[in-house]
Structures are given as structure tokens and as C-alpha cells.
Amino acid sequence: MDDKKKVLSCIQPSGMLTLGNYLGALKNWLNMQDEFQCTYAVADLHAITVRQDPQKFKGQIYSTFALLLALGIDPEKSTLFIQSHLPEHTALSWALSSVTQFGELSRMTQFKAKSALHADNINVGLFSYPVLMAADILLYQPDFVPVGADQKQHLEIARDIAMRFNRIYGEVFKIPEPYIPKIGARVMSLQDPEKKMSKSDDNINSFVAILDDRDTIIRKFKRAVTDSESSVRLSEDKPGVSNLINIYSAVTGKTAAKVEKEFEGKGYGEFKLAVGEAVADELAPIKERYEKIIADKAELERIFRAGDERAERVARKTYFKAMKKMGFVL
Ligand code: TRP
């Protein structure tokens, strides 16, 4: 069809998406749409490895899908679908689990971290999560998977599983490479800039949700933790200010040096307001589009059904090829 390289990525519908998700990952999803043939999914099956309230969960799946559209993911250009709608993901995951070792899954840092966090619910799904993620990836034969630091180990195990499968049963899967985007900010908490910005933080002032309104965004930036100096300068011993500089750079496209220059001799108050306004300006049209999209459930469903079908055509082919190689009677 065309000779563009392929990209695959998924996002969990677990709560509100933040400015960190946007600047760190989703903005790149958008930028990759022309250069690559992209497949993106809402990874709802992964989300149930921690307890979800069914009613809220349903709303989050809709809202995550709508938000991806509002951000500018174009369902004509890219394949955009919902993971649980394609049985091939769980089915391939089962096949892959037989070429995955207990030991290697036990060593996953995210499994260890989440087990510590949810000590009362260390379920088997949490353990085999990386195998499902491997299936998500390998079904689409992507060249690249954009991943942040926290998912790098999961991509590595997906590659190991693919190589092992190919060696045992014959060539089926392309071995995907990690894709480190040219731009992409690591956004830290506004209240504790040593920590990554997280939507599950108890302190709501620590993160900006993509759908926060203008006043809320500006207020959260005004309250952002800085330091007792008052120079706008990128420095390891100024994590709060550095985080704000990085956010401002990512949103305006100005280099850090240019930002430092712009605020030379000016106080933190003025700088924080500028960052808040720039972020609010960037997010406002997204929120506006989101409100329209989420209000029309029928149209939303039409879009994800079309995306599901388009994804399924690719996923089925890979799935049956793998099953055939394993000796299943088809
Ligand atoms: N586990 C990923 C996360 O939490 C989401 C995900 C699921 C994913 N399947 C994937 C990411 C496949 C990339 C490729 O961020």
C-alpha cells in the first residue's frame, strides 16, 4: 500500500490524562502520523490489572478515545481502536505466554513496584501484563514503538519473546525497535519536581489534566514549587524551575536558552504566569474539541468500530500465521 515505516503505541484509560502524558507521549503520536503508518489503541485490558470501578471505567474508555481524537489523531490517517474489541490480543497473549519464562516476568521492575503498591491484589494479570503488551505490539509488525523510560523494559521483553518465538517456530514477528522521539519532555510534578507528573498523585495541584480549565491551569502553575533564588535558569539544583522551563519550551518551541533570556531579571511570579498561560492556550482548543466529540456517542462509536475493523484485518493475519507455525489446526 505504502512504504512508510510502521509505528504502534497504546495508552491505558486509567483516569485523566495529564500534561505529562501530552508533552511526553501524545504530542509525538500526533507528530508521527505523517512520517509513519501509525496504529494506536486504548489499552483497556491492561487497566483492569489494578481494580477499576466498572461504571467509571466505562466512562474513561470513552473519554480516552475521545481525547485522542480531540488531540488530532486522525482516524483516516492512523488506525485507532480499542484493544478489548479484538480477541486476537488476548489469544496471541496466551500463545506467547508459553514462550515466556516465569523468571523473566518476576524481574520486571513495574511488576515489583505495582506489587508493592497494591499488596492486597497481586493478581496474575499484573504478572502477565508484559505478555499482553508483547501481543499488542507483535500483532501489527511495527518497526518502531515509542516508549518512555517506564515502558522500556516491557518493550525489551516483547523483543525477547518475538526472537524466541521466531527461533522455535519460524519467522513470524518483526523485531520492533524503541523509538526515542526528537522532542518530548519529561514532565515532573509541580509540587515535588523530583517525581514524575502523575494523574494518580493524591495532591491535585501536582498535575495538570489536559482537560483542566484555564483558571485551574494558571492557579496550579502559580502554586508550583520552585526555590528560594529568583533566577529563571536551567540547573540540576533547581528542579522546580527547570521543570517549568522545560514545559514552557515544549509548548512554545523556544529553546531553554531563549526562555532564560526572555525572563532574565524577572521574578518567578511573572514566569509562572507566562508558563500557565502558554499551557492554557495550548490546551484550550483540545478541550473545546473534546466537549463536542464526547457529546456525540453515536459518532464516537462509529469511529471506533471502523478503527477496530481496520486493526483486525492486520491482527488476524499475524495471529493465524503464528498459530499455524505452532501446529494448531486452523
Ligand atoms: N503498558 C503501557 C503503559 O502503561 C500501555 C501499553 C499497552 C502499550 N500495550 C502497549 C504501550 C503496547 C506500547 C505498546 O504505558
Side-chain angles (χ1 to χ4, degrees), residues 8-12 43 46 129 133 136-137 145 147 151 154:
L8 177 290
S9 197
C10 305
I11 188 153
Q12 292 194 50
H46 278 98
Y129 176 118
M133 183 160 155
D136 296 341
I137 296 169
V145 179
V147 278
Q151 295 298 319
H154 289 161

Side-chain angles (χ1 to χ4, degrees), residues 7-11 25-34 36-43 65 68 73-74 78-83 146 307 311:
V7 160
L8 177 290
S9 197
C10 305
I11 188 153
L26 297 174
K27 220 175 156 177
N28 283 306
W29 285 25
L30 213 62
N31 293 335
M32 286 186 291
Q33 288 190 110
D34 291 317
F36 302 104
Q37 189 191 313
C38 300
T39 303
Y40 298 129
V42 173
F65 195 91
L68 293 176
I73 303 297
D74 178 350
S78 306
T79 301
L80 180 61
F81 70 102
I82 297 181
Q83 180 195 32

Side-chain angles (χ1 to χ4, degrees), residues 91-322:
L92 182 67
S93 167
W94 176 255
L96 296 179
S97 69
S98 62
V99 294
T100 308
Q101 298 302 305
F102 185 89
E104 59 188 339
L105 288 181
S106 316
R107 286 192 293 274
M108 293 288 111
T109 34
Q110 191 172 83
F111 171 66
K112 288 191 268 186
K114 287 195 180 172
S115 301
L117 201 64
H118 306 279
D120 56 339
N121 184 21
I122 306 176
N123 60 75
V124 176
L126 198 59
F127 185 69
S128 57
Y129 176 118
V131 188
L132 178 60
M133 183 160 155
D136 296 341
I137 296 169
L138 300 176
L139 281 170
Y140 300 91
Q141 310 278 13
D143 298 280
F144 300 111
V145 179
V147 278
D150 60 331
Q151 295 298 319
K152 211 158 162 256
Q153 201 182 27
H154 289 161
L155 179 58
E156 268 156 29
I157 200 174
R159 286 166 51 90
D160 290 342
I161 292 170
M163 286 188 261
R164 200 174 300 148
F165 184 101
N166 288 350
R167 196 175 63 242
I168 299 171
Y169 296 110
E171 278 302 308
V172 173
F173 301 118
K174 186 179 272 178
I175 311 303
E177 301 287 333
Y179 181 80
I180 313 294
K182 290 176 206 101
I183 52 158
R186 187 170 151 78
V187 178
M188 311 305 283
S189 157
L190 299 182
Q191 292 297 316
D192 178 0
E194 311 276 359
K195 272 190 351 199
K196 206 176 132 180
M197 180 179 282
S198 165
K199 60 198 167 206
S200 47
D201 204 308
D202 289 333
N203 184 348
I204 57 159
N205 286 319
S206 73
F207 63 86
V208 170
I210 298 176
L211 297 175
D212 274 346
D213 60 44
R214 185 176 189 86
D215 291 347
T216 306
I217 294 171
I218 291 173
R219 193 182 66 239
K220 285 179 178 178
F221 277 103
K222 275 191 186 154
R223 293 191 183 161
V225 168
T226 47
D227 52 59
S228 54
E229 253 189 29
S230 77
S231 63
V232 177
R233 184 166 54 79
L234 205 59
S235 162
E236 255 177 50
D237 57 6
K238 294 165 73 71
V241 170
S242 299
N243 186 35
L244 297 180
I245 293 176
N246 288 334
I247 292 170
Y248 193 67
S249 296
V251 169
T252 59
K254 294 174 187 167
T255 62
K258 201 157 172 209
V259 179
E260 288 175 349
K261 193 121 211 229
E262 185 177 340
F263 291 95
E264 215 175 273
K266 296 182 181 156
Y268 285 162
E270 194 174 331
F271 175 51
K272 286 177 179 180
L273 182 64
V275 182
E277 285 181 335
V279 170
D281 287 345
E282 169 109 358
L283 298 182
I286 298 170
K287 186 175 165 67
E288 201 177 306
R289 283 195 295 272
Y290 171 85
E291 305 293 355
K292 283 206 191 96
I293 294 167
I294 200 72
D296 189 351
K297 284 267 164 61
E299 173 65 2
L300 197 55
E301 286 200 24
R302 192 193 63 72
I303 295 171
F304 67 63
R305 296 284 171 226
D308 295 346
E309 272 174 37
R310 194 163 144 181
E312 176 117 40
R313 284 197 287 277
V314 180
R316 264 178 83 87
K317 247 172 97 176
T318 311
Y319 173 68
F320 281 114
K321 191 169 173 193

